[in-house]
């Protein structure tokens, strides 16, 4: 069997072209405000890419850079100011925050006004997703992963979906989205027994565990759609996913590469959420 490579860059580019046209035609300019605390190099790269993505589709963006030792109160004050700024439609607090703020990170995320929570992490947006109320903002990476799945198969009704990983950021919202698509959803995690057998039942297998090449070729049901969310850096400096991409060839029906699969779609869905939050168009 030939394994189809799902090209996240190409799908992103098509979607972004559409966003650009909508933003140009809208009578409002969507605005995204990013808050970046500290010096984590990876976070700086992510934020730069998000800002570039905004510029490319005509979203106005601003960046508030705060030093590593910024206090909880100071970050809270920035969030409140942005909540009250009518030119800002989306607020993104780049995570993770520096270590000294780890215990208050959740509390800061929850301060973001739900209608501006373009990461979809507030309890209001998580609750809307859980209840199937579709005017909420859905976390970007699961949303992007669903786009990728539907780019190869539109109707997912009745399919067995297995999500590896149960984080609030990815696994849980991904499972909800697949449930809404009428999949039969299994969530697997570090305590799951016979995880290989669980994976072999999956028509759709989504891996988000952060363990390089954990999913072997013989864990994959022939013909399955495999979405690899993991981003792991190997000793040789190269990136790889949670799935053994080479071993999946000839077994999976379709698979996303790392890099070039889910990654580009995450930023694309951030742009989509910002446009949705601005009310410029209904997406
Ligand atoms: P996380 O919060 O660390 O969660 C990891 C999940 O994997 C947990 O639920 C954990 O189970 C499970 N897990 C760990 N080891 C396992 C094992 N041996 N067998 C089965 N399950 C196991 O991570 P995350 O934020 O969801 O991210 C996961 C991966 O996706 C990371 O590589 C991250 O870099 C990547 N990611 C990529 C994007 C993107 O844009 N492409 C966005 C977000 C995340 P327990 O709950 O039992 O501990």
């Amino acid at each position: 069997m030939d394994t189809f490579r799902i090209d996240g860059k190409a799908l992103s580019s098509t979607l972004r072209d559409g966003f650009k046209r909508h933003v140009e035609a809208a009578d409002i300019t969507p605005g995204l405000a990013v808050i970046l605390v500290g010096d984590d190099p990876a976070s700086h790269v992510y934020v730069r890419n998000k800002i570039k993505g905004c510029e490319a589709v005509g979203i106005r963006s601003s960046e508030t850079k705060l030093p590593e030792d910024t206090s909880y109160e100071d970050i809270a004050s920035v969030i409140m100011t942005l909540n009250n700024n009518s030119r800002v439609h989306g607020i993104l607090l780049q995570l993770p925050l520096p270590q000294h703020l780890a215990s208050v990170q959740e509390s800061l995320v929850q301060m973001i006004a739900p209608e501006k929570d373009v990461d979809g992490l507030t309890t209001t947006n998580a609750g809307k997703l859980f209840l199937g109320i579709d005017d909420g903002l859905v976390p970007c990476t699961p949303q992007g992963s669903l786009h990728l799945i539907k780019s190869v198969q539109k109707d997912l009704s009745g399919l067995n979906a297995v999500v590896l990983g149960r984080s609030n950021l990815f696994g849980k919202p991904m499972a909800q989205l697949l449930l809404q698509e009428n999949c039969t959803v299994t969530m697997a995690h570090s305590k799951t027994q016979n995880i290989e057998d669980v994976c072999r039942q999956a028509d759709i297998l989504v891996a988000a565990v952060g363990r390089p090449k954990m999913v072997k070729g013989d864990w994959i049901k022939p013909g399955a759609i495999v979405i690899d969310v993991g981003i792991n850096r190997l000793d040789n400096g190269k990136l790889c996913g949670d799935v053994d991409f080479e071993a999946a060839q000839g077994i999976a029906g379709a698979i996303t590469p790392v890099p070039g699969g889910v990654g580009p779609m995450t930023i694309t869905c951030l742009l989509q959420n910002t446009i949705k939050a601005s009310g410029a168009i209904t997406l």
Side-chain angles (χ1 to χ4, degrees):
M1 172 191 298
D2 280 344
T3 298
F4 177 70
R5 181 190 167 101
I6 309 173
D7 187 342
K9 273 193 198 164
L11 181 58
S12 280
S13 165
T14 306
L15 288 168
R16 290 184 197 197
D17 286 348
F19 297 164
K20 187 165 188 264
R21 284 195 298 275
H22 280 296
V23 170
E24 278 167 0
D27 49 12
I28 185 167
T29 304
L32 175 72
V34 181
I35 306 167
L36 176 58
V37 187
D39 310 314
D40 178 49
S43 292
H44 278 258
V45 172
Y46 289 140
V47 167
R48 206 177 311 133
N49 289 337
K50 287 168 185 177
I51 301 279
K52 267 202 227 160
C54 285
E55 282 166 3
V57 301
I59 293 174
R60 186 192 320 111
S61 61
S62 69
E63 194 181 342
T64 306
K65 278 190 188 157
L66 300 169
E68 186 89 13
D69 59 358
T70 305
S71 68
Y72 170 82
E73 289 74 17
D74 285 348
I75 301 171
S77 157
V78 170
I79 293 173
M80 290 308 170
T81 304
L82 294 171
N83 279 345
N84 292 321
N85 182 342
S86 60
R87 281 164 57 89
V88 170
H89 305 103
I91 301 171
L92 187 148
L93 178 61
Q94 182 66 37
L95 304 178
L97 293 177
Q99 195 48 42
H100 75 98
L101 294 162
S103 64
V104 292
Q105 177 169 297
E106 191 56 40
S107 151
L108 288 164
V109 167
Q110 298 305 329
M111 267 176 212
I112 298 172
E115 66 278 12
K116 299 189 179 190
D117 164 33
V118 281
D119 258 344
L121 297 176
T122 56
T123 53
T124 299
N125 284 314
K128 285 186 173 184
L129 178 60
F130 187 82
L131 295 177
I133 300 170
D134 66 7
D135 68 351
L137 292 163
V138 174
C140 304
T141 309
Q143 197 185 146
S145 299
L146 185 64
H147 272 300
L148 290 164
I149 296 167
K150 295 191 81 165
S151 73
V152 286
Q153 184 154 347
K154 281 214 160 30
D155 183 7
L156 309 182
S157 192
L159 296 181
N160 282 335
V162 173
V163 180
L164 290 179
R166 56 174 164 179
S167 66
N168 291 339
L169 197 70
F170 184 81
K172 287 177 191 163
M174 186 74 242
Q176 283 302 326
L177 288 173
L178 290 164
L179 196 57
Q180 279 179 13
E181 294 291 328
N182 298 317
C183 292
T184 303
V185 183
T186 304
M187 295 187 72
H189 45 78
S190 67
K191 306 290 186 290
T192 299
Q193 293 183 358
N194 302 323
I195 200 162
E196 305 93 307
D197 291 340
V198 173
C199 291
R200 271 184 218 113
Q201 305 302 314
D203 302 304
I204 299 167
L205 179 60
V206 185
V209 286
R211 309 222 169 240
K213 303 186 184 185
M214 186 181 102
V215 176
K216 311 298 176 207
D218 64 358
W219 294 27
I220 298 171
K221 179 176 175 178
I225 300 171
V226 180
I227 303 296
D228 192 350
V229 183
I231 303 177
N232 308 290
R233 196 166 288 281
L234 298 171
D235 291 342
N236 63 11
K238 287 192 173 162
L239 291 181
C240 84
D242 291 344
V243 180
D244 186 336
F245 185 82
E246 296 309 325
Q249 300 306 309
I251 304 172
I255 186 168
T256 55
V258 177
V262 174
M265 289 300 292
T266 297
I267 296 186
T268 296
C269 290
L270 172 70
L271 307 177
Q272 177 165 341
N273 277 352
T274 305
I275 296 168
K276 181 177 178 183
S278 75
I281 46 167
T282 312
L283 289 163

